[in-house]
Amino acid sequence: MAENSALLKYFPTELPADVAPGLPSQQRRYLIDGRIEEWKGPMIEVYSPVCVQKDNSVEPVYLGSAPAMDEETAMRALDAAVRAWDRGNGLWPRLSAEQRIQAVHAFTKRMEERREEIVRWIVFEIGKPRSEAEKEFDRTTEYIRDTLNAVKEGARSTARFTVEQGILAQIRRAPLGVVLCMGPFNYPLNETFATFIPALVMGNTVLFKPPKNGILLYGPLLEAMAECFPPGVVNTVYGDGPVVIPPVMRSGKVDVLAFIGSSRVADQLKKEHPHPHKLRAILGMGAKNAAILLPDVKIESVIDECLRGALSYNGQRCTALKIFFVPRDKGEQFVEAFREKMASLSVGMPYLDGVQITPLPIEGKSQYLQGLVEDAVSQGAVAYGGGYLGPLFLPAILYPVKKGMKAYEEEQFGPVVPVVPYDDPEEALDWIVESHYGQQASLFGEDPAQVAHFVDELVHQVCRVNLNSQCQRGPDVFPFTGRKGSAEGTLSVSDALRAFSIRTLVAAKENDANRALLRKITEERLSSFISTDFLF
Ligand code: G3H
């Protein structure tokens, strides 16, 4: 388990002056009930996966700190969200779709003004290469714009009455109440906002907990959150998840849990809620997406896509290809080609241009990955590549991997690539059927009959089958979900709006009295639900 001091060369002796956000940043501020308050209690210290050389080893860059809130403050944040919801009578849930759209639009403009700062925090807090951090930011603002357009379309299509079997009805989507949003470290902005924005724009009030790695990037957004939304509509909860979140769930006041992270934590949080049928859960959880290289695969044509699928952002994507099934007679050829490509990946600090392999933000991750490699090697696999120093782990490919090895079962969420040789491609299918996960799969091959056969099998095991392409979430208008332990609910621009609302109708027997009643209500704009206002 020894560290490799030869990797010292990838770390700077000191941090270049112009690449980091203002460091260190002691962020004591948090948002509750429309007010930005100063935290006087203990703080969580935040370190970067970016390290500098020190005494022949490496030392993480100190980024700053954020409030280690206590239970009482978390409950205050919850109560503010409950008050702002006010059984659906709060200002925000009662606003028209158009007014809410304007508020989110104003917030997005303010967010764009802080792009550079937020991108730098993403780079330094989670070690994401700068170009990918920029993409994460831009994809998020584009997602917000698409979401606002989808809300407009939805509002237009429901701005009318329908008549069916003598019943007049207006059917609209109503918000659900108080939403707890928790995003993951690997997309700390994008995947948090992928639930936060739809929840908000549909009229819910939100309690918002940033991930532990990816917390300081929210500092630049606090004022905009406070100023663009009415008090209590957005409230931040910082601190140790196991301290602040269970009491919030136990209160029974959370109506929707939007969580992207591990299934273990998701299960614990759901169990804390006293009324399981009141709670809606929108969950994005683990995945171990398989790539099946079919017998006719041409290794040279697919190798680049396989590499991207396995190692983009060091394999720290829920959609990463985390196990490869390869025909036995092409196993060596695949490994050789993969090794060659892997060796050409550029390693270094995430603020440098063109880097692809960067240090990992989760504490102890290198040791865990090294354990996977050693376990596989002890059972007969050969490891090509690998080695680590501090949080930097060089990619490793393991071959031949078989049942019983940890790398065969566990979601590595890092740059270790297990390759399983098969005699019959049905073996890959059996692995997928037995897996606890069911997010996506990639099929590589050209024979139409064989591809069609595997597609027809796989669509009953996973929720997206990618042909000669890596697994991925985007485009964000496509449904993103999973079976088994991979997801609950579906996210996409339009699906997310459905997830955070419920179809609700007002219905009346069609007669003169009811028609007159409804006409009066709409003409005089007496109701925020019954309305035929058209959204331009
Ligand atoms: O971590 C899981 C993400 O949803 C993956 O998104 O496929 O766009 O990298 P991506």
Side-chain angles (χ1 to χ4, degrees), residues 139 186-187 191 316-319 413 471-474 480:
R139 177 180 178 178
N186 63 334
Y187 280 94
E191 293 218 313
Q316 298 173 116
R317 296 161 57 226
C318 61
T319 48
F413 218 83
C471 297
Q472 63 182 55
R473 172 182 165 170
F480 179 57

Side-chain angles (χ1 to χ4, degrees), residues 302-334:
V302 304
I303 199 72
D304 286 323
E305 192 67 5
C306 289
L307 187 91
R308 271 193 294 275
L311 292 177
S312 299
Y313 185 39
N314 313 297
Q316 298 173 116
R317 296 161 57 226
C318 61
T319 48
L321 291 173
K322 298 190 181 109
I323 190 162
F324 286 78
F325 290 89
V326 181
R328 193 174 297 278
D329 61 357
K330 293 185 177 165
E332 305 271 334
Q333 187 198 348
F334 177 78

Side-chain angles (χ1 to χ4, degrees), residues 59-241:
E59 184 181 69
V61 170
Y62 177 57
L63 296 181
S65 59
M69 276 183 180
D70 51 17
E71 177 177 334
E72 191 194 326
T73 314
M75 294 306 281
R76 255 195 330 112
L78 172 66
D79 289 340
V82 172
R83 276 196 306 279
W85 169 247
D86 190 17
R87 304 195 306 185
N89 294 314
L91 174 61
W92 183 250
R94 287 291 198 104
L95 285 183
S96 66
E98 186 171 14
Q99 289 166 310
R100 287 200 293 262
I101 287 171
Q102 277 167 5
V104 175
H105 184 68
F107 171 74
T108 313
K109 284 178 86 171
R110 299 273 299 268
M111 178 176 163
E112 280 172 328
E113 289 163 13
R114 311 298 290 266
R115 180 179 185 271
E116 175 59 21
E117 251 173 294
I118 294 170
V119 164
R120 285 184 183 209
W121 278 123
I122 296 176
V123 169
F124 273 82
E125 284 199 87
I126 63 161
K128 186 171 275 194
R130 188 177 162 105
S131 60
E132 290 179 40
E134 287 173 354
K135 252 188 245 158
E136 176 170 348
F137 186 95
D138 296 339
R139 177 180 178 178
T140 305
T141 49
E142 194 183 321
Y143 183 91
I144 300 176
R145 297 224 155 76
D146 289 347
T147 298
L148 299 186
N149 286 334
V151 175
K152 277 187 200 162
E153 269 169 38
R156 283 175 195 140
S157 68
T158 57
R160 60 189 182 85
F161 284 85
T162 48
V163 187
E164 206 58 60
Q165 297 175 25
I167 311 262
L168 259 173
Q170 184 165 36
I171 309 167
R172 317 195 72 160
R173 299 206 75 93
L176 293 161
V178 174
V179 179
L180 171 60
C181 282
M182 297 171 72
F185 84 86
N186 63 334
Y187 280 94
L189 180 74
N190 181 269
E191 293 218 313
T192 311
F193 274 35
T195 61
F196 171 67
I197 295 292
L200 208 54
V201 76
M202 290 311 283
N204 302 283
T205 62
V206 177
L207 207 60
F208 168 86
K209 180 178 180 305
K212 189 169 147 212
N213 304 83
I215 191 168
L216 300 176
L217 67 94
Y218 284 101
L221 293 175
L222 273 191
E223 265 155 24
M225 284 178 178
E227 288 163 20
C228 295
F229 304 109
V233 171
V234 180
N235 306 277
T236 55
V237 179
Y238 293 140
D240 189 17

